């Protein structure tokens, strides 16, 4: 999958990178997903297929084709998340609406083996900055189950506003689950950007810690 217009082949901040999906990511994607069933399954959309049957190397190719279609239609901006150049997760800006709204939803997951190293906050900050500066979006929303404290910490550390509570919002892990809605707009992070804010937060944490 080629890079999006105006987007270099890789965005990077220290060991964390964002890049387009590649057809040769199939094996790494399958290995990471299979290794993280316990970590990820309870937060993912309900499926009738067992986890192992949905995450074979061959399943990646349909995902890849679906992502390409979404990019061509302008509906999504999908990213592979890397850590020290290894595939460790995915981040997607999806349900993109243009016109008067210019908004998207962010969704992400990361390998538990690199959790706690600031990978997803860094990746999300880079993706948001790209979407505002190069993709002409105005607002990014993230919806998270209330009990998913790790994911909520990601957006709260980055300064997303909690804007609402959505009862029975999505069918996740076998049931209709409540979600908490967070969002920010380009004005919230102007002029320096979200990554600059995250650098300041991390520097403050290291000083006080």
């Amino acid at each position: 999958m080629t890079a999006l217009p105006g987007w270099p082949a890789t965005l990077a901040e220290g060991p964390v990178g964002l890049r387009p999906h590649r057809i040769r990511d199939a094996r790494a994607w399958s290995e990471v997903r299979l290794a993280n069933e316990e970590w990820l399954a309870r937060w993912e959309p309900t499926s009738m297929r067992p986890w192992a049957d949905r995450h074979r190397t061959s399943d990646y190719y349909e995902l890849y084709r679906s992502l390409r279609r979404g990019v061509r239609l302008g509906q999504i901006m999908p990213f592979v998340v890397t850590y020290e150049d290894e595939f460790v997760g995915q981040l997607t800006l999806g349900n993109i609406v243009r016109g008067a709204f210019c908004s998207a939803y962010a969704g992400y997951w990361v390998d538990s083996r690199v959790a706690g190293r600031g990978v997803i906050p860094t990746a999300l900050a880079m993706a948001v900055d790209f979407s505002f500066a190069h993709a002409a979006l105005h607002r990014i929303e993230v919806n998270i189950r209330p009990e998913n404290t790790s994911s909520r910490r990601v957006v709260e550390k980055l300064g997303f506003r909690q804007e609402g509570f959505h009862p029975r919002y999505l069918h996740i892990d076998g049931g209709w689950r409540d979600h908490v809605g967070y969002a920010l707009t380009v004005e919230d992070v102007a002029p320096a950007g979200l990554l600059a804010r995250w650098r300041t937060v991390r520097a403050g944490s290291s000083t006080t810690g």
Side-chain angles (χ1 to χ4, degrees):
M1 193 180 303
T2 57
L4 297 163
W7 186 28
T10 302
L11 299 171
E13 173 74 6
V16 180
L18 288 177
R19 62 165 175 80
H21 289 72
R22 302 167 181 161
I23 196 71
R24 63 180 181 271
D25 287 327
R27 182 175 296 179
W29 173 85
S30 177
E31 186 277 325
V32 173
R33 296 288 293 180
L34 290 173
N36 282 272
E37 177 179 3
E38 184 176 350
W39 171 254
L40 297 174
R42 66 188 185 275
W43 311 119
E44 303 232 342
T46 302
S47 174
M48 300 302 293
R49 296 173 60 198
W51 188 266
D53 290 349
R54 289 183 279 139
H55 294 100
R56 299 166 299 186
T57 300
S58 58
D59 293 305
Y60 176 80
Y61 302 120
E62 177 54 37
L63 170 65
Y64 182 80
R65 287 190 292 269
S66 176
L67 294 175
R68 289 190 66 179
R69 286 193 298 270
V71 170
R72 286 197 302 270
L73 293 170
Q75 297 170 340
I76 61 172
M77 289 186 283
F79 304 86
V80 165
V81 180
T82 62
Y83 185 77
E84 296 180 344
D85 296 323
E86 297 293 328
F87 187 117
V88 296
Q90 294 172 269
L91 188 155
T92 301
L93 302 181
N95 293 337
I96 295 173
V97 178
R98 295 292 181 176
F101 199 29
C102 285
S103 182
Y105 293 86
Y108 45 80
W109 64 266
V110 70
D111 190 336
S112 63
R113 291 168 289 192
V114 298
R117 304 184 193 182
V119 175
I120 285 297
T122 302
L124 182 57
M126 289 192 291
V128 168
D129 283 349
F130 169 76
S131 75
F132 289 162
H134 301 288
L137 291 181
H138 177 254
R139 183 175 184 273
I140 300 296
E141 183 172 339
V142 185
N143 293 296
I144 305 169
R145 287 176 58 181
E147 61 271 35
N148 191 347
T149 54
S150 296
S151 191
R152 293 183 70 178
R153 280 198 298 270
V154 168
V155 294
E156 288 168 358
K157 285 186 290 190
L158 290 173
F160 278 71
R161 287 185 306 278
Q162 183 174 327
E163 290 193 340
F165 181 79
H166 312 306
R168 300 171 297 282
Y169 183 66
L170 291 172
H171 206 278
I172 303 291
D173 191 31
W176 290 103
R177 311 297 184 183
D178 299 340
H179 281 66
V180 179
Y182 293 86
L184 55 71
T185 65
V186 66
E187 292 88 355
D188 296 321
V189 297
L194 189 56
L195 185 58
R197 174 189 290 178
W198 174 231
R199 289 174 183 146
T200 300
V201 170
R202 297 196 81 178
S205 297
S206 62
T207 300
T208 59

